[in-house]
Amino acid sequence: MKLLTHNMLACHIKSVKNGFPFKIEAVRVEEIEADFDPDFLRHIFPRIEYHALREAAETLGAGGLPEQADEASLEDEDFLRAFHHALLEVVLEEGALICPETGRRFPVAKGIPNLLLHEDEC
Amino acid sequence: MGRGNRPEHTAPPEVFYSESEARKYTTNSRMMAIQAALTERALELLALPDDGNPRLLLDLGCGSGLSGEELTDRGHMWVGADISPAMLDVAAEREVEGDLLLGDLGQGLPLRAGTFDGAISISAVQWLCNADTRGADPRRRLQRFFQTLYACLTRGARAVLQVYPEGARQATMLTDAAMRAGFSGGLVVDFPHSTRAKKYFLVLMVGSAGALPAAAGADGEEPDDETAEVAVAARRQPRKKRRGIVGALTGSARHPEAKGKGWVLKKKEQARQRGYANIPADTKYTGRKRKSRF
Ligand SMILES: C[S@@+](CC[C@H](N)C(=O)[O-])C[C@H]1O[C@@H](n2cnc3c(N)ncnc32)[C@H](O)[C@@H]1O
């Protein structure tokens, strides 16, 4: 799972009001090269919760993102590279996602989070 | 479609899409061609802005990732969700570019509001019409699915869901549930007059009252590529007793006698109000007896 996806996920347990962001438990992380596409990065930036991305990247051992960023940062090639790397190239292979409100743990295996709910959660 | 011929009647999806079924999605070239052709049409109906920019899309019931690969081929990023671990294993084996989630669409999408530029779904959502586990309530599951889908799309985005509804009742059930969640749009039926090539696409729009796209083959022509026909053939429909929405307006298994013009006009109007596209215009020929040619 890429951090792009992590940034879009929110816990869907029926009773949960604010299920974003999932905390990450990282057991195995991989770096997988992805095509650098500035158009996509600019397109998606306004939709990214930047602080959640930065925190997730640090959990996965990818630093390099500045504390703050805004649309103007997208003019900066260094920032774009770091943003690209955090968003698309750092991949959680094994671990878990933890709901910030309930602490419910969703395992991640072979890069795929298991987000199936129990009957009493939906 | 007759009962017993629908995979949806045999087992829940996570059971039906077993390892051996999933294997077909890597070995059976006909099935692979079908997924590609249906995805291509779904993308056409999705009508993304023609600016060459890559988008972030959802593939609901992404399965083995064949549909997702079509998205990748066009430069898009995508996230896929599926309930079948066996299908997702095949997708992972295929090293698809999109991220995969194991999840049940009927439990709602675990996604933040306003995050995706569009969604497609190929041959998956009709599964939600079935109550295949103890106490599952299809209406509630559909409601949850469409509400969370609506929420996670950006303004002006579309979702195009290709479905195999079991008769007019399920088609209505799906369309109604989508409209209640706030979508505009409706059902586009490609090749409505062809029993073999007929295809249902639920074309849903967020916050725009754009016109529904035109159906292919609405004038009675047959598709010019073979996959469109094969796609239905692969579901092994019995040759007899095939009815779709159009068929349902001219008689049914329970009421085989032809109905009067008034009845036909009423049904056509109801269908229009329910959001179906391609309901033929009312003319002096409406509801007349057709002479058998043979
Ligand atoms: C005909 S296959 C689609 C295949 C896919 N487009 C591909 O390229 O392989 C239908 C898929 O819908 C999935 N499905 C059915 N019901 C589902 C549900 N409730 N939640 C998530 N996925 C579901 C099945 O597991 C199956 O993989």
Side-chain angles (χ1 to χ4, degrees):
Chain A
M1 185 194 63
K2 303 176 188 73
L3 293 186
L4 168 63
T5 304
H6 170 262
N7 207 270
M8 302 308 180
L9 287 176
C11 183
H12 57 326
I13 293 176
K14 194 78 195 283
S15 60
V16 166
K17 295 267 168 329
N18 189 1
F20 179 85
F22 278 113
K23 288 200 179 57
I24 301 180
E25 229 175 73
V27 174
R28 197 160 66 81
V29 177
E30 269 184 21
E31 294 202 1
I32 301 174
E33 212 176 299
D35 290 343
F36 180 65
D37 185 343
D39 286 339
F40 179 74
L41 297 172
R42 289 193 192 97
H43 171 68
I44 210 70
F45 181 82
R47 248 176 266 170
I48 297 291
E49 289 285 344
Y50 183 73
H51 292 287
L53 172 68
R54 184 165 178 273
E55 198 180 315
E58 282 181 357
T59 309
L60 268 50
L65 281 177
E67 211 168 300
Q68 304 288 341
D70 55 28
E71 305 262 337
S73 318
L74 296 168
E75 305 303 316
D76 175 5
E77 171 88 12
D78 286 344
F79 173 76
L80 269 189
R81 292 276 169 192
F83 181 51
H84 164 75
H85 181 67
L87 205 61
L88 302 170
E89 296 189 319
V90 188
V91 175
L92 179 65
E93 285 291 330
E94 305 286 333
L97 300 176
I98 317 289
C99 168
E101 206 173 288
T102 61
R104 158 78 141 93
R105 196 172 170 278
F106 296 92
V108 178
K110 291 189 270 181
I112 304 175
N114 176 348
L115 293 156
L116 291 168
L117 298 178
H118 306 307
E119 229 169 288
D120 60 353
E121 292 173 327
C122 40
Chain B
M1 292 180 206
R3 287 196 158 249
N5 291 289
R6 295 180 61 83
E8 292 81 5
H9 289 307
T10 61
E14 66 276 24
V15 176
F16 176 80
Y17 289 98
S18 60
E19 264 174 58
S20 62
E21 184 67 20
R23 198 43 62 202
K24 294 183 192 164
Y25 285 76
T26 54
T27 54
N28 184 327
S29 58
R30 167 183 266 216
M31 265 162 107
M32 292 164 72
I34 294 166
Q35 289 296 312
L38 291 173
T39 308
E40 197 175 317
R41 176 64 175 142
L43 271 164
E44 204 174 287
L45 293 168
L46 200 60
L48 293 169
D50 192 16
D51 55 10
N53 278 345
R55 312 275 148 170
L56 181 62
L57 304 177
L58 275 173
D59 185 357
L60 305 164
C62 64
S64 69
L66 288 168
S67 40
E69 282 187 328
E70 295 292 315
L71 305 179
T72 300
D73 283 353
R74 288 161 182 80
H76 301 302
M77 298 287 190
W78 57 275
V79 174
D82 203 283
I83 199 173
S84 157
M87 291 292 276
L88 290 175
D89 278 348
V90 169
E93 224 173 78
R94 192 171 262 147
E95 300 191 336
V96 293
E97 297 282 328
D99 265 350
L100 307 170
L101 310 173
L102 177 61
D104 176 356
L105 302 178
Q107 296 181 337
L109 303 174
L111 299 168
R112 212 155 49 75
T115 45
F116 283 80
D117 295 303
I120 61 156
S121 176
I122 306 300
S123 322
V125 172
Q126 75 279 350
W127 281 96
L128 296 180
C129 296
N130 288 40
D132 40 40
T133 47
R134 358 81 278 191
D137 175 355
R139 281 176 201 281
R140 183 156 175 271
R141 286 167 53 76
L142 280 171
Q143 182 190 4
R144 188 97 179 106
F145 167 64
F146 282 116
Q147 280 176 350
T148 53
L149 175 59
Y150 185 85
C152 80
L153 294 173
T154 55
R155 293 255 107 198
R158 287 185 181 190
V160 176
L161 319 176
Q162 181 269 324
V163 288
Y164 289 111
E166 183 180 359
R169 216 194 102 257
Q170 268 189 12
T172 309
M173 185 175 175
L174 288 167
T175 313
D176 282 357
M179 299 302 128
R180 252 191 307 252
F183 283 107
S184 57
L187 211 49
V188 171
V189 186
D190 279 1
F191 304 106
H193 311 293
S194 163
T195 43
R196 286 170 304 156
K198 193 174 192 171
K199 286 288 166 323
Y200 296 84
F201 291 86
L202 200 46
V203 179
L204 305 175
M205 301 178 256
V206 177
S208 88
L212 212 53
D219 294 333
E221 71 269 31
E222 299 275 326
D224 45 29
D225 71 9
E226 284 212 345
T227 39
E229 300 192 13
V230 174
V232 173
R235 288 185 64 93
R236 287 183 296 279
Q237 292 183 340
R239 282 236 145 229
K240 304 171 288 179
K241 285 211 306 188
R242 265 180 309 218
R243 284 194 292 118
I245 290 158
V246 177
L249 301 179
T250 55
S252 68
R254 266 173 56 211
H255 306 283
E257 331 78 55
K259 296 288 188 285
K261 178 164 183 167
W263 183 87
V264 175
L265 288 173
K266 192 176 116 212
K267 284 293 170 185
K268 285 170 79 174
E269 192 45 42
Q270 275 175 3
R272 284 186 196 107
Q273 282 172 4
R274 284 179 188 153
Y276 295 126
N278 328 318
I279 303 301
D282 300 329
T283 69
K284 63 179 180 174
Y285 301 108
T286 303
R288 282 211 200 158
K289 243 200 194 114
R290 312 276 149 133
K291 263 204 200 112
S292 155
R293 293 263 201 130
F294 303 105

